[in-house]
Amino acid sequence: MSTHQAGKQEALAATMKAAPVIPVVSVNDPEKAVAMARALVKGGLPAIEVTLRTEMAIECLEVIAGEVEGCIPGAGTVLSAGQIEKCEKAGAKFLVSPGAAPLLLEAAEDSSVPLLPGTATASEIMRLGERGYRHLKFFPAEQAGGVSYLKAISAPLPQFRFCPTGGVKAETAGDYLALPNVLCVGGSWVAPNAMIEAQDWAGIEALARKAAAIAGA
């Protein structure tokens, strides 16, 4: 593993250990994005994944990075080299992808921002291991085998740590977090779109506090 990659893996570990849940949010209004992020941070969830699924996603990421103290801003659904560059300029501290396409990985190697690539099989995990990755997204978690799958691969692949995302809920997050190879989970339930549109920041803060208190069984 190169020194550059080792440093990025350390940064990812710190981000994943910051709280048990990384909120996965979709927001299209910079003003609402700032208020939402402040509510999440106040509730105890500093790392936030802003998905690139809206027209204003990059702008929302940029204002969160620039205006929300204590936040670790990240970008999700990163699929291309161009998106990596835009997110890096916007102030992202980590990047998340649903998979691990070769061209994306090549672009990520040149970036100073660490990438959390998506995996769903042992072969994908091993290939990423050959590139120096030790911290990975398990996606789509529930559909790809869930808790039982991650438990099964912990013995043959003990060096990897995961952030399961996809179908994870408040009721099941603790089961994932109880696994030795899981550092955190990703979830959209902490800041649902309806609450963002309603500007229910107190409600989002309350959900964040509950999520921040989740511990493995």
Side-chain angles (χ1 to χ4, degrees):
M1 186 189 306
S2 68
T3 302
H4 181 54
Q5 179 67 288
K8 290 197 286 187
Q9 291 302 300
E10 289 180 8
L12 272 177
T15 296
M16 293 168 72
K17 292 176 181 177
V21 179
I22 295 180
V24 180
V25 303
S26 179
V27 61
N28 199 40
D29 181 320
E31 186 175 340
K32 291 177 182 175
V34 168
M36 173 206 65
R38 285 175 175 158
L40 290 170
V41 172
K42 190 175 180 181
L45 303 181
I48 302 170
E49 177 189 334
V50 178
T51 64
L52 304 182
R53 300 176 189 172
T54 67
E55 292 182 2
M56 298 290 287
I58 294 293
E59 289 81 359
C60 290
L61 174 63
E62 188 171 16
V63 294
I64 288 173
E67 299 182 23
V68 183
E69 185 176 354
C71 182
I72 307 171
T77 325
V78 175
L79 304 175
S80 68
Q83 289 179 327
I84 288 178
E85 184 177 357
K86 289 179 180 179
C87 293
E88 187 171 3
K89 289 181 178 178
K93 299 301 182 185
F94 66 100
L95 307 170
V96 185
S97 178
L103 291 179
L104 180 72
L105 294 178
E106 289 177 15
E109 288 177 2
D110 295 329
S111 174
S112 62
V113 183
L115 173 69
L116 188 69
T119 62
T121 69
S123 293
E124 291 172 352
I125 293 165
M126 291 170 65
R127 283 196 290 268
L128 285 164
E130 291 176 352
R131 287 178 172 262
Y133 286 89
R134 293 294 181 268
H135 297 84
L136 311 170
K137 174 181 178 177
F138 180 53
F139 177 83
E142 284 293 290
Q143 295 83 351
V147 171
S148 60
Y149 183 86
L150 287 174
K151 185 182 295 183
I153 64 170
S154 63
L157 298 170
Q159 68 271 42
F160 296 97
R161 296 294 179 267
F162 297 91
C163 173
T165 307
V168 181
K169 301 177 181 178
E171 296 80 12
T172 59
D175 296 332
Y176 283 100
L177 293 166
L179 300 176
N181 56 351
V182 170
L183 295 182
C184 64
V185 301
S188 59
W189 82 85
V190 188
N193 291 339
M195 293 181 76
I196 294 173
E197 289 304 309
Q199 302 184 56
D200 184 3
W201 314 131
I204 289 176
E205 181 185 338
L207 289 176
R209 289 190 185 282
K210 290 182 180 179
I214 295 175

